[in-house]
PDB file of all heavy atoms in Angstrom:
ATOM      1  N   MET A  18     -13.538 -77.903 -59.053  1.00  0.00           N
ATOM      2  CA  MET A  18     -12.777 -77.375 -57.948  1.00  0.00           C
ATOM      3  C   MET A  18     -13.385 -76.026 -57.553  1.00  0.00           C
ATOM      4  O   MET A  18     -13.736 -75.224 -58.399  1.00  0.00           O
ATOM      5  CB  MET A  18     -11.314 -77.237 -58.371  1.00  0.00           C
ATOM      6  CG  MET A  18     -10.413 -76.793 -57.269  1.00  0.00           C
ATOM      7  SD  MET A  18      -8.695 -76.747 -57.780  1.00  0.00           S
ATOM      8  CE  MET A  18      -8.162 -78.317 -57.193  1.00  0.00           C
ATOM      9  N   ASP A  19     -13.449 -75.787 -56.291  1.00  0.00           N
ATOM     10  CA  ASP A  19     -14.014 -74.547 -55.778  1.00  0.00           C
ATOM     11  C   ASP A  19     -13.049 -73.401 -56.065  1.00  0.00           C
ATOM     12  O   ASP A  19     -11.882 -73.428 -55.689  1.00  0.00           O
ATOM     13  CB  ASP A  19     -14.245 -74.691 -54.270  1.00  0.00           C
ATOM     14  CG  ASP A  19     -15.020 -73.514 -53.718  1.00  0.00           C
ATOM     15  OD1 ASP A  19     -15.530 -72.715 -54.528  1.00  0.00           O
ATOM     16  OD2 ASP A  19     -15.094 -73.401 -52.493  1.00  0.00           O
ATOM     17  N   SER A  20     -13.538 -72.370 -56.764  1.00  0.00           N
ATOM     18  CA  SER A  20     -12.668 -71.260 -57.165  1.00  0.00           C
ATOM     19  C   SER A  20     -12.271 -70.379 -55.984  1.00  0.00           C
ATOM     20  O   SER A  20     -11.331 -69.615 -56.086  1.00  0.00           O
ATOM     21  CB  SER A  20     -13.348 -70.421 -58.237  1.00  0.00           C
ATOM     22  OG  SER A  20     -14.521 -69.844 -57.723  1.00  0.00           O
ATOM     23  N   THR A  21     -12.991 -70.478 -54.867  1.00  0.00           N
ATOM     24  CA  THR A  21     -12.596 -69.665 -53.725  1.00  0.00           C
ATOM     25  C   THR A  21     -11.354 -70.228 -53.033  1.00  0.00           C
ATOM     26  O   THR A  21     -10.619 -69.491 -52.397  1.00  0.00           O
ATOM     27  CB  THR A  21     -13.742 -69.568 -52.694  1.00  0.00           C
ATOM     28  OG1 THR A  21     -14.102 -70.884 -52.278  1.00  0.00           O
ATOM     29  CG2 THR A  21     -14.933 -68.854 -53.295  1.00  0.00           C
ATOM     30  N   LEU A  22     -11.121 -71.524 -53.172  1.00  0.00           N
ATOM     31  CA  LEU A  22      -9.952 -72.132 -52.552  1.00  0.00           C
ATOM     32  C   LEU A  22      -8.714 -72.013 -53.441  1.00  0.00           C
ATOM     33  O   LEU A  22      -7.617 -71.810 -52.949  1.00  0.00           O
ATOM     34  CB  LEU A  22     -10.213 -73.611 -52.259  1.00  0.00           C
ATOM     35  CG  LEU A  22     -11.333 -73.890 -51.266  1.00  0.00           C
ATOM     36  CD1 LEU A  22     -11.564 -75.374 -51.122  1.00  0.00           C
ATOM     37  CD2 LEU A  22     -10.982 -73.276 -49.911  1.00  0.00           C
ATOM     38  N   TYR A  23      -8.905 -72.181 -54.749  1.00  0.00           N
ATOM     39  CA  TYR A  23      -7.762 -72.192 -55.656  1.00  0.00           C
ATOM     40  C   TYR A  23      -8.103 -71.384 -56.899  1.00  0.00           C
ATOM     41  O   TYR A  23      -9.005 -71.725 -57.646  1.00  0.00           O
ATOM     42  CB  TYR A  23      -7.418 -73.630 -56.048  1.00  0.00           C
ATOM     43  CG  TYR A  23      -6.284 -73.718 -57.030  1.00  0.00           C
ATOM     44  CD1 TYR A  23      -4.979 -73.447 -56.647  1.00  0.00           C
ATOM     45  CD2 TYR A  23      -6.521 -74.070 -58.352  1.00  0.00           C
ATOM     46  CE1 TYR A  23      -3.937 -73.528 -57.542  1.00  0.00           C
ATOM     47  CE2 TYR A  23      -5.484 -74.152 -59.263  1.00  0.00           C
ATOM     48  CZ  TYR A  23      -4.191 -73.886 -58.858  1.00  0.00           C
ATOM     49  OH  TYR A  23      -3.165 -73.960 -59.746  1.00  0.00           O
ATOM     50  N   ASN A  24      -7.401 -70.311 -57.096  1.00  0.00           N
ATOM     51  CA  ASN A  24      -7.614 -69.483 -58.267  1.00  0.00           C
ATOM     52  C   ASN A  24      -6.255 -69.200 -58.922  1.00  0.00           C
ATOM     53  O   ASN A  24      -5.563 -68.261 -58.507  1.00  0.00           O
ATOM     54  CB  ASN A  24      -8.309 -68.179 -57.875  1.00  0.00           C
ATOM     55  CG  ASN A  24      -8.783 -67.403 -59.083  1.00  0.00           C
ATOM     56  OD1 ASN A  24      -8.685 -67.878 -60.221  1.00  0.00           O
ATOM     57  ND2 ASN A  24      -9.286 -66.200 -58.848  1.00  0.00           N
ATOM     58  N   PRO A  25      -5.863 -70.014 -59.898  1.00  0.00           N
ATOM     59  CA  PRO A  25      -4.542 -69.804 -60.512  1.00  0.00           C
ATOM     60  C   PRO A  25      -4.500 -68.507 -61.297  1.00  0.00           C
ATOM     61  O   PRO A  25      -5.464 -68.118 -61.944  1.00  0.00           O
ATOM     62  CB  PRO A  25      -4.382 -71.013 -61.433  1.00  0.00           C
ATOM     63  CG  PRO A  25      -5.759 -71.502 -61.689  1.00  0.00           C
ATOM     64  CD  PRO A  25      -6.576 -71.130 -60.486  1.00  0.00           C
ATOM     65  N   LYS A  26      -3.354 -67.835 -61.202  1.00  0.00           N
ATOM     66  CA  LYS A  26      -3.209 -66.547 -61.867  1.00  0.00           C
ATOM     67  C   LYS A  26      -2.866 -66.688 -63.347  1.00  0.00           C
ATOM     68  O   LYS A  26      -3.159 -65.818 -64.127  1.00  0.00           O
ATOM     69  CB  LYS A  26      -2.121 -65.728 -61.178  1.00  0.00           C
ATOM     70  CG  LYS A  26      -2.471 -65.363 -59.762  1.00  0.00           C
ATOM     71  CD  LYS A  26      -1.351 -64.606 -59.121  1.00  0.00           C
ATOM     72  CE  LYS A  26      -1.721 -64.300 -57.674  1.00  0.00           C
ATOM     73  NZ  LYS A  26      -0.652 -63.720 -56.932  1.00  0.00           N
ATOM     74  N   ASN A  27      -2.247 -67.771 -63.699  1.00  0.00           N
ATOM     75  CA  ASN A  27      -1.791 -67.911 -65.078  1.00  0.00           C
ATOM     76  C   ASN A  27      -2.389 -69.136 -65.762  1.00  0.00           C
ATOM     77  O   ASN A  27      -1.718 -69.832 -66.502  1.00  0.00           O
ATOM     78  CB  ASN A  27      -0.263 -67.962 -65.129  1.00  0.00           C
ATOM     79  CG  ASN A  27       0.302 -69.084 -64.289  1.00  0.00           C
ATOM     80  OD1 ASN A  27      -0.439 -69.839 -63.666  1.00  0.00           O
ATOM     81  ND2 ASN A  27       1.603 -69.205 -64.277  1.00  0.00           N
ATOM     82  N   GLN A  28      -3.633 -69.401 -65.513  1.00  0.00           N
ATOM     83  CA  GLN A  28      -4.277 -70.582 -66.074  1.00  0.00           C
ATOM     84  C   GLN A  28      -4.308 -70.520 -67.601  1.00  0.00           C
ATOM     85  O   GLN A  28      -4.063 -71.517 -68.261  1.00  0.00           O
ATOM     86  CB  GLN A  28      -5.690 -70.729 -65.528  1.00  0.00           C
ATOM     87  CG  GLN A  28      -6.380 -71.991 -65.989  1.00  0.00           C
ATOM     88  CD  GLN A  28      -7.759 -72.131 -65.368  1.00  0.00           C
ATOM     89  OE1 GLN A  28      -8.241 -71.209 -64.735  1.00  0.00           O
ATOM     90  NE2 GLN A  28      -8.371 -73.273 -65.570  1.00  0.00           N
ATOM     91  N   GLY A  29      -4.552 -69.380 -68.182  1.00  0.00           N
ATOM     92  CA  GLY A  29      -4.571 -69.238 -69.637  1.00  0.00           C
ATOM     93  C   GLY A  29      -3.211 -69.513 -70.250  1.00  0.00           C
ATOM     94  O   GLY A  29      -3.099 -70.140 -71.303  1.00  0.00           O
TER      95      GLY A  29
END
Side-chain angles (χ1 to χ4, degrees):
M18 184 176 264
D19 188 10
S20 63
T21 58
L22 297 176
Y23 178 72
N24 191 5
K26 295 178 182 173
N27 57 0
Q28 184 177 9

